Amino acid sequence: MDLTEKTLSSEKIFDGRIIHVRRDTVRLPDGAEAHREVVDHPGGVCVLALDDENRALLVSQFRYPYEKVLREVPAGKLEYGEDPTEAAIRELKEETGAVSGDFRFLGELYPSPGYCGEIIRMYLARDLTFGETHLDADEFLNLERVPFEELVEQVLSGEIKDAKTIAVVLKGKLLLHL
C-alpha cells in the first residue's frame, strides 16, 4: 500500500523568527481528506564532544517550554540554508570554546515527526583544544565535563531527558564501543 499523503492546499498560520506554522489539507491513501498542522523549523545540530580523558562536554541551560534547567550536549539551531557541519563546528566553539581535530558526522534525528519538520544532525568531536566561548547575547549556560560512562548511565536512568542528547550519546556508545 502506498502510504503517501498528497498536499491539496496549505495555509500559513504563524510566521515567526525561528518557526513557521502551516495548516495543510491532504488526501489520505484511502482517498479521504484530512488536515495536518506542521511546524517548519530550519533544523539543528548537536555534538558529542569527548576530551582526552573521555569526558563529555555538557551544557546546562534553562529551557523555557519545560520551565527548568536541562543538561544537554552542545547544540544549536541552523540558519535557513546553512551548512550543518559548519554550524556544528561553530556551536561547539561558541558554547564550549572547543575546537575539534577529529570531527565526524553520526547521522540525523527527527525529534517530533508527527508535527514538526525539524532535522537534527548529530556529530562526534574528539581531539579537542580549548579557547574562549562566544555565547549569543540571550544565551546563558554552564559547562561541565562528565565521564562518558557516567553520562551513558544518566541517559539510561532517565536523568538526561533531552532527546538529541540521548540519541547522540547512545549512538556514540554503540559506534565507538566505549
Side-chain angles (χ1 to χ4, degrees), residues 4 17 19 27 31 43 45 65 70 83 109 112 119 124 129 135 155 167 170:
T4 306
R17 187 176 60 86
I19 64 165
R27 172 114 29 242
V45 294
L70 297 181
D83 178 79
L109 167 68
S112 298
I119 300 172
L124 171 67
T129 56
L135 300 177
V155 164
L170 294 180

Side-chain angles (χ1 to χ4, degrees), residues 105-141:
F105 178 67
L106 295 183
E108 296 180 342
L109 167 68
Y110 294 4
S112 298
Y115 67 91
C116 186
E118 180 182 18
I119 300 172
I120 297 176
R121 278 78 173 193
M122 299 177 287
Y123 295 86
L124 171 67
R126 299 183 98 175
D127 187 23
L128 305 177
T129 56
F130 292 89
E132 291 186 28
T133 61
H134 301 282
L135 300 177
D136 294 336
D138 63 349
E139 190 172 36
F140 303 91
L141 54 83

Side-chain angles (χ1 to χ4, degrees), residues 77-124:
K77 173 187 72 63
L78 293 171
E79 299 301 323
Y80 282 98
E82 183 178 21
D83 178 79
T85 301
E86 290 176 14
I89 291 167
R90 181 196 72 237
E91 287 293 338
L92 179 64
K93 173 82 171 120
E94 286 178 2
E95 292 187 0
T96 71
V99 174
S100 172
D102 180 11
F103 202 76
R104 298 184 217 170
F105 178 67
L106 295 183
E108 296 180 342
L109 167 68
Y110 294 4
S112 298
Y115 67 91
C116 186
E118 180 182 18
I119 300 172
I120 297 176
R121 278 78 173 193
M122 299 177 287
Y123 295 86
L124 171 67

Side-chain angles (χ1 to χ4, degrees), residues 39-54:
V39 176
D40 289 319
H41 186 285
V45 294
C46 71
V47 182
L48 173 59
L50 299 173
D51 69 11
D52 58 356
E53 294 179 36
N54 213 35

Side-chain angles (χ1 to χ4, degrees), residues 61-70 161:
Q61 57 188 321
F62 185 79
R63 291 302 195 177
Y64 187 80
Y66 301 101
E67 297 185 347
K68 65 168 109 179
V69 173
L70 297 181
K161 300 193 181 314

